[in-house]
Amino acid sequence: MFFEAKEKGFFKVIDGYEEKHHRLYGYQSPYHEAAAFVVSELFGFGVVPPTFMRTLTLPGQLSPKLGSVQRYIEGQTPKQLATRKGIYIEPSKLMRIFDLLIGNVDRSEGNYVITKDNQQWAIDNAAAFQTSNSLKANLDDTAKGPELRDRISSMLSEHPLVLLRLKTTSDAQIKSALGMLLMPAQIKYLIARKNTLVSVAKQQRQSF
């Protein structure tokens, strides 16, 4: 999949410092933008605009820069809608599942766009792919775990095709798709979160 001629896009640059520290520590990175698109397509979410890593020479610069290029989506962020129209639209259930899967900790009101047909697009995913499974920790919490489990199960039940992809996509497929974009530890925890989501759906089904 490539951009059409004259299409707009966002180029998020990665410099030498960010490149080094992404590979070592997994800081916020343009690599995460491209990886989020891969995950969105791999599991059937369809919530991230086409995003690829590219090396481009920007106007006025002599040397090329590595970064992520994301297709521009015509729409408004919830922050813009709140300011202009006095309404606020929360992230969709589909996007919430997606954020749980990729370990995104920053789906703020400026990080997703709503189009005229009310489709939501996740446009900023740099804070994703945390090397932890806080989802499991929250589910294991005796105070908030049961309610969270019910909410996740309900959201998954509304998106059976995504749940099917979560169940059937192998670890090998995930590693092959993301090996050039994420560190091994990030892929490991992505798989762990995937398995946690599948486990929630399975346990809730067995409880009935």
Side-chain angles (χ1 to χ4, degrees), residues 117-134:
D117 60 357
N118 290 321
Q119 184 171 357
Q120 294 188 12
W121 292 92
I123 59 169
D124 189 342
N125 305 287
F129 303 105
Q130 303 295 307
T131 51
S132 65
N133 189 2
S134 57

Side-chain angles (χ1 to χ4, degrees), residues 156-168:
L156 287 170
S157 69
E158 295 182 23
H159 297 282
L161 294 181
V162 168
L163 179 56
L164 179 62
R165 292 277 189 93
L166 290 171
K167 290 178 178 179
T168 58

Side-chain angles (χ1 to χ4, degrees), residues 25-207:
Y25 307 112
Y27 288 174
Q28 292 194 27
S29 165
Y31 282 105
H32 298 172
E33 303 288 0
F37 172 63
V38 171
V39 172
S40 176
E41 295 299 296
L42 185 64
F43 292 100
F45 286 93
V47 295
V48 178
T51 311
F52 308 95
M53 295 301 296
R54 291 289 186 267
T55 300
L56 302 175
T57 301
L58 300 177
Q61 296 188 359
L62 298 177
S63 59
K65 293 286 188 179
L66 174 65
S68 61
V69 180
Q70 183 176 90
R71 177 180 289 168
Y72 173 75
I73 298 295
E74 188 71 42
Q76 298 184 75
T77 66
K79 185 175 182 178
Q80 292 170 328
L81 286 171
T83 301
R84 297 169 183 173
K85 298 184 179 181
I87 60 174
Y88 177 72
I89 300 177
E90 294 185 346
S92 66
K93 293 178 181 179
L94 184 63
M95 191 174 293
R96 290 178 181 179
I97 298 170
F98 178 69
D99 282 339
L100 289 173
L101 175 63
I102 66 174
N104 183 36
V105 296
D106 186 25
R107 185 62 63 207
S108 67
E109 58 187 12
N111 289 348
Y112 58 106
V113 165
I114 302 162
T115 61
K116 289 182 178 180
D117 60 357
N118 290 321
Q119 184 171 357
Q120 294 188 12
W121 292 92
I123 59 169
D124 189 342
N125 305 287
F129 303 105
Q130 303 295 307
T131 51
S132 65
N133 189 2
S134 57
L135 171 59
K136 185 177 186 304
N138 290 331
L139 288 169
D140 290 341
D141 186 292
T142 55
K144 58 185 177 182
E147 181 182 354
L148 177 60
R149 194 176 297 275
D150 288 342
R151 289 207 312 269
I152 292 174
S153 178
S154 176
M155 290 190 293
L156 287 170
S157 69
E158 295 182 23
H159 297 282
L161 294 181
V162 168
L163 179 56
L164 179 62
R165 292 277 189 93
L166 290 171
K167 290 178 178 179
T168 58
T169 303
S170 69
D171 293 0
Q173 288 175 299
I174 296 171
K175 292 175 182 177
S176 175
L178 295 168
M180 297 297 292
L181 297 171
L182 299 177
M183 298 182 299
Q186 291 176 303
I187 297 175
K188 171 187 172 182
Y189 281 101
L190 171 69
I191 292 171
R193 290 188 293 268
K194 175 188 79 76
N195 292 337
T196 298
L197 289 171
V198 171
S199 176
V200 168
K202 182 178 179 180
Q203 290 174 5
Q204 292 299 99
R205 188 173 65 252
Q206 291 176 342
S207 66

